[in-house]
Each structure stands twice: as structure tokens, then as C-alpha cells.
């Protein structure tokens, strides 16, 4: 994760000690998800797993959806943003979409929970959803390069968000979704120069 993102919380800028506490909580959230799933997860359980008082956990996270959305956001920040410029735009876009699609594929419980959490209506989740969307939009813009049609960007954004919801609902694996996103991107970008 970028050092700047580590010290920036949805709710406020963090000191080093606070960032360490948030790291413990987000790590513990994944461990609890593995055991309990999203429906069984509570902020109190995560706090206990992290060795943090529940009241402390609630100073950082307003809900379990906020906590899981933060885990997704942090995972996204760990994915390098640079796409090689020597590749053609279609290959660059496919790489970005694959990276995003496979972001949580190694943690099935986190993957399913992320879809539910990110669609939540908690104001802190809405804030993170906007940040996640803007980050992915920025990655796609960089991959498309100058002169792309705005409609192509819009279609790619709709494709990735729909694909991740589909995977989160369990209709297909994240690996299958990554493959389908590549096919979709190629179709969307066909004829674009």
C-alpha cells in the first residue's frame, strides 16, 4: 500500500499509531471473514481478534460494511498503477481490468463480503465507493491513453462494475470474470484507435 494511503482513513488522517491500529483491524477483518463470513462478522469480533477495544474499532469504522470496504480499498491501493507504455491500449486496458477483477480472488469470503459492503448506504462506505470508482476510472484513463472516446471509458466502467457484482454474487469465479472482462474490453474497443 502506498505510504500516503496507509495514513489516510475514510474518517480522518491517521498518526502512525492509529495507522497501526487500523492495519490490525483490517487484517483481523479478513481472518474473521474466513471463519464467519460477512453475515457473521461484527466490528466487535474484529476488534477482539485484533486485540483492540470495540470502542476503539468504532472510532475508525462506522459499520462492518465500512470495515470491509476499507479492506477492499487497501487491497486496490496495493495494485501498481503503472501500466507499461510500450503496450497497445487494448492490452493495457485488459491488464487493468484483470488486476481489478482478481483483487480479492485469493480470499473468497472477502470477495463475497466486498460486493455486499461496497453496495452499502453507510456514508463512510459511499465515500470509499466513490474513491474506489475514481481510482479505477483513473487507471482506465491512463490505460486508454489520450484521445479515447468518453463512451468507451463509460462502457468499460459499466463492464467492470457489473462483472464484479456478478462475481460477488457467486455466478462466476473471479478468474472467469477476469477472462470475460478481457473479452468485453476487446469488443468495446474494437475499431478504436
Amino acid at each position: 500500500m502506498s505510504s500516503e494511503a496507509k495514513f489516510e482513513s475514510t474518517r480522518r488522517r491517521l498518526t502512525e499509531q492509529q495507522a497501526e491500529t487500523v492495519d490490525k483491524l483490517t487484517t483481523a477483518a479478513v481472518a474473521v471473514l474466513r471463519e464467519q463470513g460477512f453475515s457473521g462478522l461484527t466490528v466487535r469480533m474484529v476488534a477482539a481478534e485484533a486485540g483492540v477495544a470495540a470502542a476503539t474499532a468504532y472510532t475508525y469504522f462506522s459499520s462492518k460494511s465500512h470495515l470491509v470496504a476499507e479492506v477492499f480499498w487497501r487491497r486496490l491501493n496495493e495494485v501498481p498503477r503503472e501500466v507499461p507504455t510500450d503496450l497497445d491500449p487494448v492490452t493495457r486496458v485488459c491488464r487493468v481490468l484483470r488486476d481489478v477483477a482478481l483483487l480479492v480472488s485469493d480470499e473468497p469470503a472477502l470477495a463475497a463480503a466486498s460486493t455486499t459492503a461496497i453496495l452499502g448506504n453507510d456514508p463512510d462506505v459511499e465515500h470509499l465507493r466513490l474513491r474506489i470508482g475514481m481510482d479505477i476510472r483513473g487507471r482506465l484513463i491512463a490505460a486508454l491513453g489520450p484521445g479515447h472516446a468518453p463512451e468507451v471509458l463509460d462502457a468499460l466502467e459499466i463492464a467492470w462494475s457489473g462483472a464484479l457484482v456478478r462475481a460477488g454474487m457467486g455466478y462466476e469465479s473471479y478468474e472467469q470474470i477476469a477472462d470475460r472482462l478481457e473479452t468485453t474490453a476487446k469488443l468495446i474497443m474494437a475499431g478504436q484507435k
Side-chain angles (χ1 to χ4, degrees), residues 22-38:
V22 170
D23 284 344
K24 286 180 187 177
L25 289 165
T26 55
T27 300
V30 175
V32 172
L33 278 169
R34 283 185 200 125
E35 298 295 319
Q36 303 294 324
F38 187 68

Side-chain angles (χ1 to χ4, degrees), residues 4 16 25 27 49 76 97 101 104 106 110 118 122 126 133 137 141 147 156 161 172 174 181 187 189:
E4 182 178 315
E16 189 170 338
L25 289 165
T27 300
E49 177 77 20
L76 180 60
L97 291 172
V104 291
D106 62 331
L110 173 59
I118 291 170
D122 175 326
E126 290 174 359
R137 181 181 185 84
I141 288 170
L156 291 169
S161 60
E172 294 176 82
Y174 283 84
L181 272 172
L187 289 170
M189 296 180 69

Side-chain angles (χ1 to χ4, degrees), residues 94-116:
C94 288
R95 183 174 288 180
V96 166
L97 291 172
R98 178 167 288 282
D99 287 348
V100 172
L102 297 177
L103 187 62
V104 291
S105 64
D106 62 331
E107 291 282 354
L110 173 59
S114 293
T115 300
T116 302

Side-chain angles (χ1 to χ4, degrees), residues 26-96:
T26 55
T27 300
V30 175
V32 172
L33 278 169
R34 283 185 200 125
E35 298 295 319
Q36 303 294 324
F38 187 68
S39 62
L41 179 136
T42 66
V43 174
R44 289 184 182 281
M45 291 171 90
V46 171
E49 177 77 20
V52 173
T56 300
Y58 277 109
T59 64
Y60 299 106
F61 299 106
S62 57
S63 66
K64 69 181 186 178
S65 290
H66 179 206
L67 176 57
V68 172
E70 178 72 23
V71 172
F72 186 90
W73 169 244
R74 287 167 172 256
R75 293 271 177 111
L76 180 60
N77 270 289
E78 291 172 359
V79 175
R81 284 177 170 72
E82 300 76 30
V83 179
T85 56
D86 60 331
L87 301 175
D88 65 278
V90 173
T91 303
R92 292 191 309 251
V93 165
C94 288
R95 183 174 288 180
V96 166

Side-chain angles (χ1 to χ4, degrees), residues 89 146-149 189-193:
H148 68 273
M189 296 180 69
Q192 295 293 311
K193 298 288 179 197

Side-chain angles (χ1 to χ4, degrees), residues 137 140-141 144 148-158 188:
R137 181 181 185 84
L140 287 171
I141 288 170
L144 285 166
H148 68 273
E151 297 82 13
V152 170
L153 176 61
D154 291 343
L156 291 169
E157 286 183 303
I158 288 170
I188 291 169

